[in-house]
Amino acid sequence: MTHAFILRDETVLCRQTPNGWWPVQIQLPKSVNDTALNTHDIHNMQPAYQVGRVTLFESLAPNHWLVSADSGQVEDSLDDFKTEAANTFTAQATIAITYDYAIAHHIDLPIVLESHNSENSNLESNVLNNRDLTTNSEERNTLDNDECAFIAYRLLITQLPFALSDQLSQAIQLLRWQADTQFCSRCAAPVVHAASAERAMVCQVCRLRQYPRVQPCIITAITRPNPQTGEMQILLAHHHRYGQQKTPQQALQYGLIAGFVEVGESLEHAVVREVAEEVNISLTDIRYVSSQPWPFPSNLMLGFRASHDGGDIVIQEDELSHADFFDLSNLPKIPSKGSIAYELIAQIATEHGISL
């Protein structure tokens, strides 16, 4: 039997469980599978192109590449950000479809909580805006086991295993690419999906093949000792995209320096250039740490660490409103768990005996 995740823009259909929200996989009827992969017609030997349905590759758990503790290096640096189960959970290959695709093909869906439903609007607001996506026992009792809701992927990554969150990121990016690639970029003719298992859209006129695009981005945690106390500090910046402080009680969110890799430059060059452009300082000891797929819109975040090598902070005002070095024991609000920014910051804090 074929099952599929259901997505609507950057949200995922989930069911409430005692431990929070979990993505639902809906069984697809046989008629839909036959329509999607009808290769028996000798006049149409390639699969029909259908906007709103993609096949997802298997996503491996981090234990496939984590360094063993036996080698003398620290293996549990990621354990502070996800549970041990999250490091060993592997997501099997599956299907992802859009909500519109499900409706158009008359696929049976569970009851979905909608904000326009006055009976559930307050409950939905309380549940869906909760960053850890958990509810108390009283709220859980008001939810029927068959009731589901569309949860933003940005919130789900704070609690899902690495492999599953990466697979949902894969789904968001592929469905967006598919919807945006219905015509040839060379001759404007309609395209169809490649006949093989290859992820490509093929022009029926000029045969141009268009593949999903991945945009590499660097993100860097920059450290130095506090000039007065010697305590380790990390450079954090408030980006305009984080929004402005609306009330005195609202804490501004700070993050790391990040940016897109330009054509013709190495990853290390991108780190040096972005940091110089945004905060006007020089670096030393640049080293790669880890990566994360980030579907906003279709990025691969490549995480680095570096040490401050000189220069005073001068911010790029069209990007940032403030940047400074903060003591690890006195950090401002930082990005949430599940993001590579949090992972890099928490890794450094852990090395200095500080738990975030």
Side-chain angles (χ1 to χ4, degrees), residues 71-128:
S71 68
Q73 299 185 43
V74 178
E75 181 186 26
D76 60 357
S77 60
L78 291 175
D79 290 345
D80 290 332
F81 322 131
K82 303 272 186 173
T83 65
E84 182 60 30
N87 285 338
T88 59
F89 178 90
T90 293
Q92 300 299 316
T94 188
I95 302 292
I97 63 177
T98 65
Y99 180 69
D100 289 341
Y101 179 97
I103 297 300
H105 289 80
H106 309 290
I107 296 172
D108 290 334
L109 297 175
I111 299 171
V112 179
L113 293 172
E114 295 288 354
S115 57
H116 60 72
N117 186 327
S118 59
E119 181 180 352
N120 289 326
S121 60
N122 291 334
L123 172 60
E124 182 185 23
S125 176
N126 291 337
V127 173
L128 304 193

Side-chain angles (χ1 to χ4, degrees), residues 26-310:
I26 304 298
Q27 181 177 332
L28 299 181
K30 187 175 183 295
S31 59
V32 171
N33 289 328
D34 290 344
T35 301
L37 297 173
N38 180 15
T39 57
H40 303 293
D41 184 349
I42 60 174
H43 301 293
N44 181 22
M45 292 303 293
Q46 65 181 11
Y49 172 68
Q50 292 183 298
V51 175
R53 174 184 173 129
V54 293
T55 300
L56 306 179
F57 290 153
E58 176 186 60
S59 289
L60 299 178
N63 70 337
H64 285 78
W65 53 80
L66 286 177
V67 178
S68 171
D70 295 337
S71 68
Q73 299 185 43
V74 178
E75 181 186 26
D76 60 357
S77 60
L78 291 175
D79 290 345
D80 290 332
F81 322 131
K82 303 272 186 173
T83 65
E84 182 60 30
N87 285 338
T88 59
F89 178 90
T90 293
Q92 300 299 316
T94 188
I95 302 292
I97 63 177
T98 65
Y99 180 69
D100 289 341
Y101 179 97
I103 297 300
H105 289 80
H106 309 290
I107 296 172
D108 290 334
L109 297 175
I111 299 171
V112 179
L113 293 172
E114 295 288 354
S115 57
H116 60 72
N117 186 327
S118 59
E119 181 180 352
N120 289 326
S121 60
N122 291 334
L123 172 60
E124 182 185 23
S125 176
N126 291 337
V127 173
L128 304 193
N129 292 331
N130 190 334
R131 292 192 67 82
D132 64 8
L133 302 182
T134 59
T135 59
N136 58 41
S137 58
E138 180 179 350
E139 287 174 333
R140 281 198 296 269
N141 289 337
T142 65
L143 284 169
D144 187 279
N145 290 333
D146 291 331
E147 288 184 332
C148 299
F150 281 96
I151 307 295
Y153 172 75
R154 289 178 184 269
L155 300 181
L156 286 174
I157 60 174
T158 66
Q159 71 168 35
L160 295 182
F162 285 99
L164 185 53
S165 62
D166 285 356
Q167 197 171 56
L168 293 174
S169 171
Q170 185 184 155
I172 292 170
Q173 293 177 69
L174 286 174
L175 288 169
R176 184 187 297 118
W177 161 73
Q178 188 189 60
D180 292 346
T181 314
Q182 298 182 53
F183 298 93
C184 177
S185 62
R186 178 189 290 163
C187 70
V191 298
V192 296
H193 203 285
S196 65
E198 183 182 32
R199 285 175 171 169
M201 305 308 296
V202 184
C203 177
Q204 300 178 86
V205 177
C206 70
R207 309 309 298 173
L208 176 69
R209 304 175 84 84
Q210 299 178 84
Y211 299 90
R213 292 185 177 182
V214 177
Q215 302 172 113
C217 302
I218 55 86
I219 182 167
T220 311
I222 304 164
T223 57
R224 74 169 189 186
N226 186 312
Q228 281 73 46
T229 67
E231 179 180 352
M232 188 57 67
Q233 295 183 312
I234 187 167
L235 177 66
L236 299 173
H238 177 68
H239 295 254
H240 293 313
R241 64 176 178 270
Y242 291 151
Q244 299 302 311
Q245 188 175 22
K246 296 181 180 179
T247 66
Q249 294 76 27
Q250 182 186 28
L252 289 176
Q253 177 171 310
Y254 281 71
L256 302 176
I257 301 300
F260 290 98
V261 178
E262 298 290 348
V263 172
E265 69 179 359
S266 67
L267 298 177
E268 293 80 4
H269 185 187
V271 170
V272 171
R273 175 185 54 77
E274 281 290 342
V275 170
E277 288 177 356
E278 294 198 9
V279 290
N280 193 49
I281 63 174
S282 58
L283 304 176
T284 187
D285 192 24
I286 299 172
R287 56 200 186 278
Y288 170 79
V289 178
S290 62
S291 62
Q292 179 184 37
W294 193 247
F296 306 110
S298 186
N299 304 340
L300 176 63
M301 305 299 298
L302 300 149
F304 286 82
R305 287 174 58 173
S307 300
H308 177 235
D309 193 42

Side-chain angles (χ1 to χ4, degrees), residues 327-342:
D327 290 347
L328 290 174
S329 62
N330 188 30
L331 295 177
K333 180 183 177 183
I334 61 173
S336 61
K337 289 184 179 182
S339 66
I340 194 171
Y342 179 92

